[in-house]
Amino acid sequence: MKAFEKSLMNNWNRHHLRFIAIAENGTSSNWHFHILFNQRNFTEEELQNAILKANIREKLPSYSLELKQIQNNLLEVVSYCTKEIKIHWNKKFNSKSIIFSEDLFNIYK
């Protein structure tokens, strides 16, 4: 995300693109993240170019970052992103898999 934000904005820590990341340990033993953010005034082309630049900068394979727009299927996105979050009998849940960008980058808001 740091490389993506650097590619998208010059001064990324001053004009931070806030996001929520949800860690998921899928069917394999590898972890991946669902990252939700507001597109703001960025165009689809600007976001895709930032992904391409981040992949090049970090030497990542092209499938590492994938951008999908949320339009009318918000309920489906919520259930997909939270499917591994378990709620316990005492109304507590395993929130360790939810990461806020301010916490990840130690940004005070």
Side-chain angles (χ1 to χ4, degrees), residues 4-12 15-17 40 42 50:
F4 171 73
E5 287 193 45
K6 279 184 178 182
S7 299
L8 191 60
M9 300 174 277
N10 290 332
N11 194 344
W12 74 274
H15 302 287
H16 173 61
L17 181 63
R40 297 194 334 209
F42 296 109

Side-chain angles (χ1 to χ4, degrees), residues 8 14 16 28 30 36 49 62 69 74 77 79-80 101 103:
L8 191 60
R14 194 172 198 196
H16 173 61
S28 69
N30 298 325
L36 307 172
N49 285 339
S62 60
Q69 189 174 31
L74 184 59
V77 171
S79 63
Y80 186 75
S101 57
D103 296 330

Side-chain angles (χ1 to χ4, degrees), residues 11 18 22 33 45-46 49-50 52 60 62 73 77-79 82 85-87 91-92 95 99 104 106 109:
N11 194 344
R18 298 178 71 202
I22 297 101
F33 295 86
E45 184 178 358
E46 289 171 320
N49 285 339
L52 179 62
L60 299 171
S62 60
N73 56 352
V77 171
V78 169
S79 63
T82 59
I85 296 175
K86 308 294 185 252
I87 300 173
K91 298 182 183 177
K92 299 198 186 275
S95 61
I99 306 162
L104 182 63
N106 201 24
K109 200 88 170 133

